[in-house]
Amino acid sequence: MRAVQISSLDGPDSVTVVDVAEPAARDGSVVIEVHAAGVAFPDALLTRGLYQYKPELPFVPGSEIAGIVRSAPAESGFSAGDRVAALTGLSDGMAEVAVVSPDTVFALPESVSLSAGAGLLFNDLTVHFALRERGRLAPGETVLVHGAAGGIGTSALRMAPVLGASRVIAVVSSEAKADIARSAGATDVVLLDGWKDAVKELTGGRGVDVVVDPVGGDRFTDSIRSLAPSGRILVLGFTGGEIPTVKVNRLLLNNVDVVGVGWGAWWMTRPGYLATQWAEIEPLLADGSLSAPEPSVFPVTEAAAAIASLENRTAAGKVVLDFGL
């Protein structure tokens, strides 16, 4: 089978597509013929050995897939021919066949394409956890989204209104990315240059209730200053490269929270949590209340460029590899 492989830690340019043996089926596992695989920021870090998970070289990256079930145990609830999305862990997703545990496999509504399905789980489940569990989003609140044209950002723009937000403000770095944010559901869009003052004006000086921040870096302090009383900034990652620090007196004086969002660490220690999330999200996708993502799709032969687009921050929305192109 074809698979994307990282054989050296020299960055995305060293990523290749090779022929490898299919993985052996395990007892109780679901075997999936992969049509598309999601690309995430950790994949870019893995190409340089900068992620906390450091698999032995060479390895196949990829955490999320969508495809057709080839075989499944009877008690799993899946059958050959089912359309599914699945999580593979932090590797082995970017290959034509995947073997996964049934508790990380999810039936896809017919309305969701396989390409969209491959870009669904990692971001949407993370954002659902961030807003629902950690951010305590309440009906009528205002949400500010950094990196709003990226995978996590567009997911937050799509999901926040469905979970009760009355206003979703996107922060982007260019007019082209502003168009992406509006298409994803932003009610307001501000450019990175001067964003804090623009948000203050938009909210009449009150500030926002929740900040979704997968970027970090030098905008973090201004994000805290942009919170309304009882506001929460949700820390999802550091695609800006720098891990910021916070002077905790700002939290005390303004009655605001900085909240860590570690979705993987959460669900891996809580059996059944993923199923609980999907039980809420799947009906919303099926009836159209929550729109499916519109990913940037690369053929698998351009895997290196797809991963590089996360590292150089040129990616528009979620990035997906399609094995059929």
Side-chain angles (χ1 to χ4, degrees):
M1 68 174 185
R2 288 183 300 167
V4 176
Q5 190 175 81
I6 297 174
S7 56
S8 66
L9 302 179
D10 300 312
D13 287 345
S14 64
V15 171
T16 57
V17 179
V18 298
D19 286 321
V20 299
E22 289 189 6
R26 303 184 298 268
D27 287 345
S29 62
V30 178
V31 180
I32 300 170
E33 295 178 358
V34 178
H35 287 234
V39 183
F41 189 67
D43 298 314
L45 295 177
L46 283 166
T47 68
R48 298 191 184 276
L50 298 177
Y51 199 58
Q52 56 261 40
Y53 169 65
K54 299 183 187 299
E56 183 179 347
L57 294 171
F59 65 93
V60 176
S63 303
E64 54 187 336
I65 60 172
I68 306 298
V69 173
R70 178 188 289 179
S71 64
E75 66 275 12
S76 70
F78 298 101
S79 303
D82 287 349
R83 300 170 72 256
V84 296
L87 297 169
T88 64
L90 288 169
S91 60
D92 298 326
M94 297 182 191
E96 289 184 307
V97 177
V99 178
V100 297
S101 172
D103 59 0
T104 61
V105 182
F106 308 91
L108 273 182
E110 289 296 327
S111 57
V112 179
S113 71
L114 292 175
S115 291
L120 187 67
L121 296 178
F122 205 79
N123 289 339
D124 277 18
L125 295 182
T126 296
V127 169
H128 178 270
F129 169 68
L131 293 175
R132 177 74 87 211
E133 195 83 42
R134 302 293 290 145
R136 309 182 306 278
L137 180 65
E141 289 191 316
T142 297
V143 176
L144 174 73
V145 181
H146 286 295
I152 286 288
T154 51
S155 177
L157 296 175
R158 291 170 39 248
M159 189 167 292
V162 178
L163 297 183
S166 61
R167 191 176 198 179
V168 188
I169 303 172
V171 180
V172 296
S173 59
S174 68
E175 288 293 349
K177 291 184 176 181
D179 291 338
I180 295 169
R182 291 187 186 96
S183 296
T187 52
D188 302 275
V189 180
V190 298
L191 293 178
L192 183 58
D193 185 19
W195 71 269
K196 179 173 70 74
D197 292 337
V199 169
K200 182 177 181 180
E201 183 176 349
L202 283 172
T203 60
R206 177 182 179 273
V208 300
D209 300 292
V210 176
V211 174
V212 175
D213 184 12
V215 179
D218 57 8
R219 69 184 71 185
F220 190 79
T221 297
D222 281 344
S223 291
I224 295 175
R225 291 174 175 148
S226 299
L227 289 172
S230 297
R232 294 83 74 199
I233 178 169
L234 307 179
V235 180
L236 282 84
F238 314 104
T239 61
E242 179 186 346
I243 299 176
T245 57
V246 58
K247 293 183 177 180
V248 295
N249 64 308
R250 296 185 187 279
L251 312 183
L252 183 153
L253 294 173
N254 298 316
N255 289 297
V256 296
D257 300 344
V258 175
V259 184
V261 180
W263 168 68
W266 188 272
W267 71 258
M268 280 189 256
T269 57
R270 289 165 175 79
Y273 183 73
L274 293 177
T276 300
Q277 286 190 284
W278 194 246
E280 180 175 356
I281 292 172
E282 191 275 337
L284 299 173
L285 289 165
D287 69 14
S289 299
L290 177 64
S291 61
E294 297 181 4
S296 295
V297 180
F298 289 72
V300 69
T301 53
E302 297 180 15
I307 294 173
S309 74
L310 274 295
E311 182 178 75
N312 61 32
R313 299 179 67 179
T314 60
K318 178 65 180 182
V319 176
V320 164
L321 296 178
D322 192 312
F323 280 87
L325 294 179

